[in-house]
Amino acid sequence: FIKYSALVTESALSSVNNKVEGLPTPDGMLPKCDASSTNGCSVKTEVLRTIQPENDDFGSIKSSTGSSNVGNAYENDKINGNPVTLDKITGKVIAPATPVNGGTVPVLDPNTGIVSVPPGTLSGSYQIVYQICDKLVADPAVGGKTAAITVKVTNSPIDAKDDSYTGKRGEGRDP
């Protein structure tokens, strides 16, 4: 839970745009303000922002070319049902992709959410596990959730071409 405190003045209680008189305090009571007080009144409400990361499958990428941006892992993730924005979350790689025969692997940039595949990455199915956390919650165990990214790397097809030969038949020399 995230705890917020707000100082609500008497004028805010009666304002059309800031009508807070119907919001209960955590104990269920409506806020009461002393009109003669310059301190207004205080309303504390616990708020929990729900992080909802979604698994990502970025399909197939050719090994020969790779890609500097196969997709953004954060694009389908939500915070309170709305798309996440980088100013509200922090990202972290929990388990990077496992190399095939010691080769290069797809990589998640946790600062941007962009997933890249270096050219020459060996073919295979790669998985990256990441965590996004609410920046307002200091403890990732409370404010963080994980999801997985899957990227398939495929061999590029062999592009065989016919050979051409010029010359005359039978003009070879014997040693």
Side-chain angles (χ1 to χ4, degrees):
F1 284 99
I2 302 166
K3 294 183 180 181
Y4 294 98
S5 294
L7 179 63
V8 181
T9 63
E10 185 68 25
S11 62
L13 288 174
S14 60
S15 166
V16 173
N17 293 328
N18 297 312
K19 199 132 181 112
V20 295
E21 61 197 16
L23 292 177
T25 59
D27 62 2
M29 301 299 292
L30 293 177
K32 303 263 190 236
C33 292
D34 179 2
S36 63
S37 172
T38 58
N39 294 331
C41 61
S42 183
V43 178
K44 292 183 181 179
T45 305
E46 292 184 357
V47 176
L48 176 64
R49 293 200 307 197
T50 305
I51 299 282
Q52 301 151 309
E54 297 289 333
N55 292 336
D56 303 284
D57 187 343
F58 291 121
S60 297
I61 305 298
K62 289 182 183 177
S63 173
S64 62
T65 56
S67 175
S68 61
N69 185 351
V70 299
N72 192 307
Y74 304 154
E75 192 169 275
N76 61 343
D77 297 341
K78 307 271 189 233
I79 188 166
N80 282 351
N82 297 308
V84 299
T85 56
L86 295 176
D87 63 323
K88 290 189 172 91
I89 59 134
T90 57
K92 177 181 177 181
V93 174
I94 299 297
T98 302
V100 173
N101 294 327
T104 59
V105 296
V107 177
L108 166 66
D109 179 345
N111 295 318
T112 64
I114 294 173
V115 178
S116 60
V117 177
T121 299
L122 296 175
S123 65
S125 182
Y126 296 89
Q127 187 176 67
I128 303 167
V129 177
Y130 70 98
Q131 179 182 55
I132 58 172
C133 298
D134 187 337
K135 281 187 175 180
L136 296 177
V137 179
D139 183 0
V142 174
K145 301 284 181 162
T146 60
I149 301 161
T150 301
V151 178
K152 292 175 188 72
V153 178
T154 59
N155 286 328
S156 299
I158 296 173
D159 188 14
K161 305 253 187 221
D162 290 337
D163 293 330
S164 64
Y165 173 78
T166 58
K168 295 182 184 174
R169 198 184 260 264
E171 287 189 2
R173 296 186 186 183
D174 290 317

